[in-house]
């Protein structure tokens, strides 16, 4: 079993993943683009990291390199793919 999961998604899908992780006792990590800095999914996770450059929200969520970097930085040992 893993102890921390990075959810590589946003909005309602991410919130549902966080809820499931909470019920399993797993810590959560959110990623968010600059444009989503005020989104609810960012506040529902135990940790949140901004990725990418402003002006490219979709591209940021599809950046495998950025997602893997945050997973390593945060100590996440699992990734919920978006």
């Amino acid at each position: 079993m893993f102890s921390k999961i990075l959810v590589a998604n946003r909005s309602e899908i991410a919130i549902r993943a966080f809820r499931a992780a909470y019920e399993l006792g797993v810590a959560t990590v959110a990623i968010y683009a600059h444009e989503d800095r005020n989104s609810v999914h960012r506040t529902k996770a135990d940790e949140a990291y901004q990725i990418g450059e402003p002006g490219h929200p979709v591209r940021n969520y599809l950046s495998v390199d950025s997602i893997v970097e945050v997973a390593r930085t945060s100590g996440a040992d699992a990734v919920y793919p978006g």
Side-chain angles (χ1 to χ4, degrees):
M1 184 67 169
F2 48 87
S3 60
K4 186 185 282 190
I5 186 166
L6 181 145
V7 176
N9 215 313
R10 61 185 180 166
S11 301
E12 182 61 28
I13 293 170
I15 292 169
R16 290 179 188 206
F18 296 147
R19 184 179 307 132
Y22 175 80
E23 291 174 3
L24 294 170
V26 175
T28 56
V29 179
I31 56 171
Y32 64 95
H34 174 78
E35 291 77 9
D36 290 333
R37 66 192 175 280
N38 296 318
S39 294
V40 174
H41 85 276
R42 186 182 69 82
T43 63
K44 294 292 184 181
D46 296 312
E47 301 173 41
Y49 296 83
Q50 183 174 328
I51 60 170
E53 302 173 12
H56 302 286
V58 174
R59 184 184 315 159
N60 294 337
Y61 287 104
L62 297 175
S63 173
V64 174
D65 291 338
S66 295
I67 294 168
V68 170
E69 180 181 335
V70 171
R72 288 185 176 147
T73 300
S74 68
D77 46 1
V79 176
Y80 177 92

